[in-house]
Amino acid sequence: MLPGLPALVGSVVLWLSSAAPRGLSEQSIKCFPENGPSREWLVRNKLTPGGLRTLRVDSVASPKTNPDAVLLNISWVLKQDGSIQMLKATKICVHGKGQFLTHSCVRCNYTEVFQSQTSPDGGRWEFHYLGFPIKPETAYFISANNIPPANMNEDTATISVNYTSPDCLDPVMKYTKKCQDYGSLWRPNITACQKEKSVEVNFSTSSLGHHYEVLIISHNILDILGNSDILELNQSRATVTIPVTAEEGKGALVQIIPYFSTCNNDCIRRRGTIFSCLESVTLVGLKKSQPWKRLLYLLLPALSVALWALAAGLYLLWRHGKAQKAPPHVPPLLPPIRVLLVYHPQACFRHTVCAFAQYLQGHCRSDVILDQWQKGRVAEMGLVLWLTAQKKEADRVVFLFSSPAEACDGSCDPSAGGHRESAQDLFALAFNLFCSDLKSRASLAKYLVVSLGKAVLSEDLGALGVCPRYQLMKEAGPFCRDLLSL
Ligand SMILES: *[C@@H]1O[C@H](CO)[C@@H](O)[C@H](O)[C@H]1NC(C)=O
Ligand SMILES: *[C@@H]1O[C@H](CO)[C@@H](O)[C@H](O)[C@H]1NC(C)=O
Ligand SMILES: *[C@@H]1O[C@H](CO)[C@@H](O)[C@H](O)[C@H]1NC(C)=O
Ligand SMILES: *[C@@H]1O[C@H](CO)[C@@H](O)[C@H](O)[C@H]1NC(C)=O
Ligand SMILES: *[C@@H]1O[C@H](CO)[C@@H](O)[C@H](O)[C@H]1NC(C)=O
């Protein structure tokens, strides 16, 4: 007996229990790992079965044996034709394209020779296999072919599907070890309320760590209105007060950035809404007040609504009178302008660059050109050619810097792979390519510099000092206006 055999037998038993047949009890599958080529590949097979009709993939929590893992549930349907009698097995391979490439295959033997093109219940033959532990937010390529395989020069009968696994807040995925390390099970239970000059935030801390930063951000997620330092909190429920006036904080959200040792600064960030502290005070006051006072509280809003409606009506009447003299002015619909976005490699791609690009598209009538959104073309043309072409096409070039509060290290976006080095290349290249333009008045107008938060330009980037510079979101209005005024 081979020394490796006991382990193989062990896994056969395990996989047998997870591979269930459908249809007649006599026909079933036995699956086992087979990473090399099947024996049938090496010989010429006189008669071969047709391919599969469909291949479907889904993710499921693994059985109790391994509560950590999420598995693929791969199901397939056989084609209904005479060649089914030749079918001995189906081989399935899964190729993962995350940070590390993974590749593995199983072979599922059919226990019986197929006697009929249909299953005993009269339907199609369908089987499924549960296996291949998967990672969150990763692309998988799954392929399957029947054995014996088609001979050389015959039609290959391989069928394949792409599948992207869900992210860490998915109800199944959040229980995996990796997601737990990223803080998926932490329930911060945030409550926050706005006082006259500050926002009070309460939240439950996690057992994963003591360090948190609390931000008050504008409703478009881009502007930091106020933030705490990184706090070290030992208690289970924490209270933080952040100076943000009621006027500034209209529509704002609270964001908590945890810094657990398991995920450093790429842990899952949480958001919560901010209510008015006054509301709850008024409600408490109401319960204790006299009935006539309660009536007054109910009537006052109604009264003010009526007065407001009256005022609005009068105003509209007055405007209508004016409008009859002058034709109404309708601004023409202008096409969007093309904006090439060049970002400092310190900027966090997912949290800052993407959010800013979306802001430009949503609020500043822009079509944003971003290297990470055109990876294919960048790879095809090379970075220098791509940048030169985009520079020609773009109406505007925006250099984006972000404040140290939002800066983060290479672990920022693991799914983007080696994005940080490419961001470094992009930034340095763009700076050098466009620098000559910065010396002539005429072409200078194309460039703008945006800093989010308190970002400062380092000395070696001094050449950018001649470009108009905007601090966002404080100067969002002027920035948008200047960006669009060509
Ligand atoms: C796997 O997929 C098959 C076919 O769609 C289904 O019948 C089976 O219940 C699924 N298994 C699990 C554990 O979800
Ligand atoms: C599967 O089938 C092949 C060829 O028919 C055979 O060599 C192999 O031992 C079978 N494996 C199992 C686990 O039945
Ligand atoms: C799967 O994705 C790859 C690119 O990653 C693509 O080339 C291929 O055509 C896709 N296959 C299917 C079946 O969608
Ligand atoms: C969340 O916090 C509030 C107030 O502190 C409390 O009443 C509620 O029970 C908490 N909910 C959970 C799920 O912990
Ligand atoms: C936060 O907690 C403190 C103390 O438990 C409480 O007095 C306050 O009302 C809470 N604030 C909010 C916004 O939940």
Side-chain angles (χ1 to χ4, degrees), residues 101-152:
L101 292 181
T102 52
H103 181 84
S104 57
C105 302
V106 294
R107 171 190 175 123
C108 295
N109 278 2
Y110 297 101
T111 53
E112 310 295 325
V113 173
F114 284 92
Q115 305 289 354
S116 156
Q117 293 176 25
T118 54
S119 68
D121 61 13
R124 299 178 189 280
W125 287 106
E126 181 176 350
F127 300 87
H128 69 267
Y129 169 75
L130 228 55
F132 301 110
I134 54 170
K135 295 207 158 62
E137 273 189 293
T138 303
Y140 292 92
F141 178 75
I142 297 111
S143 61
N145 70 275
N146 282 337
I147 289 174
N151 292 303
M152 215 123 39

Side-chain angles (χ1 to χ4, degrees), residues 419-439:
H419 129 75
R420 201 173 148 75
E421 288 95 74
S422 70
Q424 232 137 20
D425 291 350
L426 172 83
F427 190 83
L429 256 176
F431 181 69
N432 289 324
L433 263 175
F434 303 164
C435 225
S436 59
D437 276 6
L438 300 177
K439 295 189 181 103

Side-chain angles (χ1 to χ4, degrees), residues 283-298:
L283 279 177
V284 172
L286 263 179
K287 279 184 196 142
K288 291 186 192 143
S289 58
Q290 314 284 329
W292 66 269
K293 273 193 185 164
R294 204 182 301 171
L295 196 67
L296 198 64
Y297 272 115
L298 288 175

